[in-house]
């Protein structure tokens, strides 16, 4: 059941004036004029979100309908979806010393093409996160949690095999930025160092464009040097087509997530 309060970014006790203000703020982000520069899929998603916002406004501004909705929302909350089961795609073995970041052979240069507006950026982010959650659930499932400085964090719980070594756990931290560049890497690296837990720490740094591979590789190497060879496996990803730069020690399950996104294409 859709949570209209979360959709409007308001509390469940919000008065009518706050609902009206939130609706006007959110619906403006998805006006056709503000997303016409994006691809057709993003435009369709903007239309769907706008329809949900309109329905939320209709329900929450009617006292009777809101009371019925609140009761339905309360009764639906205990029926949360169970955690998705993890697939058994085994990640590669880790060595004691971190391997250098080696980007794939360079293809033609990619011209940065960040969205022209904050609304466009937010829409691309929402679309990318929806697709990512679906891919994570399909490939290695698990539980999602919040993490300071990240848009989402997924913790795997791989099953141990009866006649083979169990898969290694992965902590997959996700952060969306307008452009993946040296500054974005310098910002996310210390945040990842502060995250503790079991498993291989891996960061998916998503953006609407990527800086040149050589710049990204140099930035990762510099962060590893500063942190005395500590830090996550960092995978830069261009959400326009889900092209990614995989370090050698990227867990195979994380590669599979990106490859699934790549095969479906945004």
């Amino acid at each position: 059941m859709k949570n209209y309060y979360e959709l409007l970014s308001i509390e469940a006790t919000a008065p009518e004036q706050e609902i009206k203000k939130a609706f006007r703020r959110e619906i403006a982000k998805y006006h056709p004029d503000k997303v016409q520069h994006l691809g057709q899929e993003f435009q369709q998603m903007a239309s769907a979100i706008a329809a949900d916002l309109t329905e939320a406004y209709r329900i929450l501004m009617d006292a009777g309908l809101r009371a019925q909705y609140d009761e339905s929302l309360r009764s639906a909350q205990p029926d949360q979806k169970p955690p998705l089961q993890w697939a058994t795609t085994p990640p590669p073995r880790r060595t004691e010393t971190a391997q250098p970041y080696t980007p794939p052979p360079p293809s033609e240069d990619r011209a940065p093409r960040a969205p022209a507006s904050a609304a466009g950026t937010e829409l691309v982010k929402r679309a990318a996160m929806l697709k990512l959650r679906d891919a994570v659930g399909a490939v290695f499932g698990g539980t999602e949690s919040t993490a300071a400085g990240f848009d989402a964090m997924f913790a795997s719980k791989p099953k141990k095999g009866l006649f083979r070594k169990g898969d290694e756990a992965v902590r997959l931290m996700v952060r969306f930025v307008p452009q993946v560049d040296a500054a974005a890497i310098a910002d996310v690296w210390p945040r990842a160092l502060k995250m503790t837990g079991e498993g291989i720490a891996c960061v998916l740094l998503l953006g609407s464009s990527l800086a040149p591979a050589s710049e990204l590789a140099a930035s990762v190497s510099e962060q590893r040097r500063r942190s005395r060879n500590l830090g996550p496996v960092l995978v830069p990803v261009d959400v326009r087509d889900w092209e990614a730069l995989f370090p050698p020690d990227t867990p195979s399950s994380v590669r599979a997530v990106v490859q699934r996104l790549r095969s479906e294409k945004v």
Side-chain angles (χ1 to χ4, degrees), residues 118-181:
T121 299
E122 180 63 23
L123 178 58
V124 172
K125 176 180 175 180
R126 286 195 183 192
M129 292 303 298
L130 283 172
K131 286 182 173 291
L132 178 64
R133 286 185 172 95
D134 288 344
V136 169
V139 174
F140 60 65
T143 57
E144 179 181 349
S145 61
T146 57
F150 293 92
D151 294 297
M153 183 168 73
F154 303 91
S156 72
K157 297 178 181 177
K159 298 178 180 180
K160 294 183 178 181
L162 184 60
F163 300 107
R164 62 178 176 80
K165 182 180 178 180
D167 300 330
E168 289 187 87
V170 175
R171 285 182 291 122
L172 183 60
M173 295 163 275
V174 182
R175 182 172 172 82
F176 184 92
V177 293
Q179 181 182 22
V180 180
D181 54 17

Side-chain angles (χ1 to χ4, degrees), residues 145-153 173-175 187-196 203:
S145 61
T146 57
F150 293 92
D151 294 297
M153 183 168 73
M173 295 163 275
V174 182
R175 182 172 172 82
D187 179 65
V188 79
W189 197 271
R191 299 175 188 271
L193 285 174
K194 294 178 182 178
M195 295 294 107
T196 59
V203 171

Side-chain angles (χ1 to χ4, degrees), residues 1 72-82:
M1 183 176 185
S72 298
L73 189 64
R74 281 192 294 269
S75 62
Q77 284 178 345
D79 299 324
Q80 298 292 332
K81 293 183 179 179

Side-chain angles (χ1 to χ4, degrees), residues 10 18 25 33 55 59 64 66 70 79 83 90 102 108 115 121 127 155 186 192 197 203 211 215 218 222 244 247 265:
I10 58 176
E18 187 175 342
R25 179 190 67 237
D33 290 344
E55 179 66 4
I59 295 292
R66 183 177 182 179
D70 287 346
D79 299 324
T102 306
E108 61 182 50
T121 299
V203 171
E215 176 186 329
E222 174 63 14
K265 295 277 182 125

Side-chain angles (χ1 to χ4, degrees), residues 74-120:
R74 281 192 294 269
S75 62
Q77 284 178 345
D79 299 324
Q80 298 292 332
K81 293 183 179 179
L84 298 168
Q85 295 298 315
W86 292 94
T88 56
T89 307
R93 292 185 179 181
R94 302 265 291 179
T95 57
E96 292 298 324
T97 57
Q99 301 181 49
Y101 183 89
T102 306
S107 55
E108 61 182 50
D109 290 339
R110 289 168 156 257
R113 191 178 64 193
S117 66

